Amino acid sequence: MSERDAERSVSQTVRAQLALRDMILSGRLRPGERISELQAVDITGVSRTPVRLALVRLEDEGLLQAIPSGGFMVKAFTERDILDSIELRGTLEGLAARFAAERGVNARSLEPLKECLGDIDQLVRQDPISVEAFSAYVTMNARFHALLNELSASAPLIREIDRVSALPFASPSAFVMAQSALPEAHQILLIGQDHHRIVVDAIENREGARAEAVMREHSRLAARNLRLAIRNRTHLELMPALALLKSSAE
Amino acid sequence: MSERDAERSVSQTVRAQLALRDMILSGRLRPGERISELQAVDITGVSRTPVRLALVRLEDEGLLQAIPSGGFMVKAFTERDILDSIELRGTLEGLAARFAAERGVNARSLEPLKECLGDIDQLVRQDPISVEAFSAYVTMNARFHALLNELSASAPLIREIDRVSALPFASPSAFVMAQSALPEAHQILLIGQDHHRIVVDAIENREGARAEAVMREHSRLAARNLRLAIRNRTHLELMPALALLKSSAE
DNA sequence: TGGGTGCAAGATGTATACAGTAGACGCGAT
DNA sequence: ATCGCGTCTACTGTATACATCTTGCACCCA
């Protein structure tokens, strides 16, 4: 399918949503700035109706904030908001891991997870790790987390995790690329992979508390990465989500 | 302000949303049933544009489910979904309590919470408890939980708690009224109030783990109520949310 | 009789016209 | 000079007309 066909196949609403999200995350629309519907029409090239739907969707995605008198503005986040969102994700993923462990999962469901574990092993075995490997890690890591969440077999929980992870700075892989520029990079990746291994082991042995605790701690690696990267001012361009930071030290 | 004025002052979108939500929760629209936009126009009396927005909002509220080929259907929930949602709320409220405890709150912020505690005390002191007192309890309980969540001072967390609690069967007071018909009613209320007291104490003493644990356990009272009420088949009409139950034993 | 194809009806997706309202700017009066 | 009022502009909220797509039913052919 050609790119043009693909563009035609998605609805105007989705197209508008993607375009606006891109504008926001790239920082071309600054936090606090009001987005008028007509302005959004100019940006996206679609009419007001789908633009309106896209704005509503971006609002509950958390990127926009409704103005009481009508309309929307770009939401601003504090560093605390970001750290809290990461802790929030960790808590939810911890709950998912606990559910999986306590309720038990059959051996076959664990197979793809272990396979994924092996794939990541191969990546982190390199020293130093290439940028391509980092990029591959982001993909595999996302897959691992998705598989893990599914093991909870809890639709309401998965829904909330997906929602929280949709925030650009709260996803499991948000700051992995930024981390690639840090001297501690390799070590952090090895620790993260150890967490992965432990949580699978805990689930297999039906150790709910252990599974929960390690997933919580796992999310704090992302918090650590964020703090390191901000303090070192290294490669802030690898973390586009930071465009949403209020009073940013950018 | 007259009722008619009030009706005029809210937008058509909100009015449509309220009308449709009412139809869903009252069971007049059955789980799995498709809601066409034109049908919704007939029900609400507003045009398709605001109806569409209302449907989108109800979707991310969790009451509707998008159909891949377009349109929406009423979402169906299993008993497990409901129990998981309650556990989910408890986990989030636990996190809020832990944040409050670990980060510390000044004495003045605790005052309204303690006041609320006292008000609930007066209610549960009655024996037996009148239906009016149960109704008042629902209000005070909601206030207590709201104040507690605010103590976390975490906007992202409060946002998620509000979202989860918006599900009609996951809110802190969802099954309190049903409980009013149970013989264990008074005892359960006293235990719940004890939890309230403990979490305030834990926050005051900066005992994060204790605050978190008690709020988790607190939510399980709701789960217990639900199970009791369903098994006893008592006053299912007091739990309109159960209209959403899949293959319900209604 | 069963399966496939085509048509029709009704649904959603989209665009646009119109109405109502909030906010800003300027002008006048005190 | 400052405060208040009025007007004007531009935005959002709403309704509706049009286009496209899905789906269900009927008919025809094998």
Side-chain angles (χ1 to χ4, degrees):
Chain A
M1 194 194 291
S2 83
E3 203 169 298
R4 192 171 305 266
D5 285 342
E7 270 178 23
R8 296 231 170 172
S9 68
V10 299
S11 69
Q12 301 288 71
T13 302
V14 171
R15 209 178 309 176
Q17 193 175 347
L18 292 174
L20 289 172
R21 180 168 16 191
D22 186 59
M23 288 285 288
I24 294 168
L25 294 183
S26 68
R28 272 170 292 176
L29 294 169
R30 307 193 74 80
E33 187 176 341
R34 179 180 192 147
I35 301 186
S36 90
E37 292 181 4
L38 293 176
Q39 181 187 355
V41 165
D42 282 343
I43 291 172
T44 63
V46 305
S47 79
R48 274 186 63 211
T49 305
V51 152
R52 217 181 156 67
L53 282 173
L55 289 173
V56 168
R57 292 223 143 92
L58 288 171
E59 180 202 0
D60 69 66
E61 198 172 300
L63 262 43
L64 296 180
Q65 191 170 11
I67 299 173
S69 65
F72 299 94
M73 53 183 277
V74 180
K75 202 158 169 180
F77 295 89
T78 64
E79 186 178 337
R80 164 61 80 71
D81 286 337
I82 295 181
L83 292 173
D84 281 3
S85 296
I86 292 172
E87 182 77 11
L88 179 55
R89 171 176 59 80
T91 302
L92 294 177
E93 289 186 328
L95 180 58
R98 178 161 73 81
F99 275 171
E102 292 178 348
R103 296 171 180 178
V105 297
N106 58 47
R108 218 187 48 218
S109 330
L110 278 176
E111 271 173 26
L113 210 63
K114 287 182 174 176
E115 208 172 290
C116 191
L117 220 49
D119 292 343
I120 297 180
D121 266 337
Q122 289 202 332
L123 285 174
V124 298
R125 199 165 291 151
Q126 305 177 22
D127 189 12
I129 299 179
S130 67
V131 175
E132 294 76 28
F134 262 103
S135 183
Y137 177 85
V138 168
T139 306
M140 299 309 304
N141 186 51
R143 178 171 159 75
F144 181 86
H145 281 256
L147 287 170
L148 193 61
N149 296 335
E150 274 169 26
L151 282 189
S152 72
S154 174
L157 177 54
I158 292 172
R159 187 178 144 90
E160 287 312 305
I161 293 178
D162 285 345
R163 179 179 157 79
V164 171
S165 300
L167 286 172
F169 44 73
S171 93
S173 313
F175 301 117
V176 169
M177 288 313 290
Q179 168 188 340
S180 68
L182 294 173
E184 303 92 333
H186 198 192
Q187 193 189 344
I188 293 179
L189 242 52
L190 285 174
I191 294 172
Q193 172 69 346
D194 195 52
H195 290 162
H196 289 166
R197 197 170 294 285
I198 289 175
V199 75
V200 171
D201 188 61
I203 289 174
E204 211 163 6
N205 296 322
R206 311 192 69 153
E207 301 166 306
R210 184 175 171 223
E212 176 162 28
V214 75
M215 281 313 289
R216 284 199 179 197
E217 198 56 44
H218 185 57
S219 77
R220 291 178 191 130
L221 278 181
R224 204 196 294 184
N225 279 342
L226 170 62
R227 286 210 197 82
L228 276 174
I230 286 184
R231 275 198 214 129
N232 294 8
R233 297 277 188 284
T234 55
H235 296 258
L236 289 175
E237 78 279 3
L238 289 175
M239 304 181 287
L242 294 190
L244 296 169
L245 254 189
K246 194 182 299 180
S247 68
S248 162
E250 227 174 342
Chain B
M1 195 194 290
S2 82
E3 205 170 293
R4 192 173 302 264
D5 284 344
E7 271 178 24
R8 296 233 167 171
S9 67
V10 299
S11 69
Q12 301 288 72
T13 302
V14 171
R15 209 178 311 175
Q17 194 175 348
L18 292 174
L20 289 172
R21 178 166 23 190
D22 187 59
M23 288 284 289
I24 295 168
L25 294 184
S26 69
R28 274 171 289 177
L29 295 169
R30 308 194 73 81
E33 187 176 341
R34 180 179 191 147
I35 300 185
S36 88
E37 293 181 2
L38 292 177
Q39 181 188 355
V41 165
D42 282 343
I43 291 173
T44 63
V46 305
S47 78
R48 273 187 64 210
T49 306
V51 153
R52 218 181 154 68
L53 282 173
L55 290 173
V56 169
R57 292 222 142 94
L58 287 171
E59 181 203 359
D60 70 66
E61 197 173 301
L63 261 43
L64 296 181
Q65 191 170 12
I67 299 173
S69 66
F72 299 95
M73 52 184 275
V74 180
K75 202 159 170 179
F77 295 90
T78 63
E79 186 178 337
R80 165 59 80 72
D81 285 337
I82 295 181
L83 291 172
D84 280 3
S85 296
I86 292 172
E87 183 77 12
L88 178 55
R89 171 176 60 79
T91 302
L92 294 177
E93 289 186 329
L95 181 58
R98 177 161 73 81
F99 275 171
E102 291 178 347
R103 296 169 181 178
V105 296
N106 57 47
R108 219 186 48 218
S109 336
L110 278 177
E111 273 173 26
L113 210 63
K114 288 182 174 175
E115 209 172 290
C116 192
L117 219 49
D119 292 343
I120 298 180
D121 265 338
Q122 289 201 331
L123 286 175
V124 298
R125 200 164 292 151
Q126 305 176 23
D127 190 11
I129 300 179
S130 66
V131 174
E132 293 75 30
F134 262 103
S135 182
Y137 177 86
V138 168
T139 307
M140 300 308 305
N141 187 50
R143 178 172 158 75
F144 181 87
H145 280 257
L147 287 170
L148 192 63
N149 295 336
E150 274 169 26
L151 282 189
S152 72
S154 175
L157 178 53
I158 292 173
R159 188 177 143 89
E160 286 312 306
I161 293 178
D162 285 345
R163 178 178 159 79
V164 171
S165 300
L167 287 172
F169 43 73
S171 92
S173 313
F175 301 117
V176 169
M177 289 312 290
Q179 169 187 340
S180 69
L182 294 174
E184 304 92 332
H186 198 192
Q187 193 189 346
I188 294 179
L189 243 52
L190 285 173
I191 294 171
Q193 172 70 345
D194 195 53
H195 289 162
H196 290 166
R197 199 172 294 286
I198 290 175
V199 75
V200 171
D201 188 61
I203 290 174
E204 211 164 5
N205 295 323
R206 312 194 67 153
E207 300 166 308
R210 185 175 171 223
E212 177 162 27
V214 76
M215 281 313 288
R216 284 198 178 197
E217 199 55 44
H218 185 57
S219 76
R220 290 177 192 132
L221 278 180
R224 204 195 296 184
N225 280 341
L226 171 62
R227 285 209 197 83
L228 276 175
I230 286 184
R231 275 197 215 132
N232 294 7
R233 297 276 189 285
T234 56
H235 296 255
L236 287 175
E237 77 278 4
L238 290 175
M239 303 182 286
L242 294 191
L244 297 169
L245 253 188
K246 196 183 299 180
S247 66
S248 162
E250 230 173 342

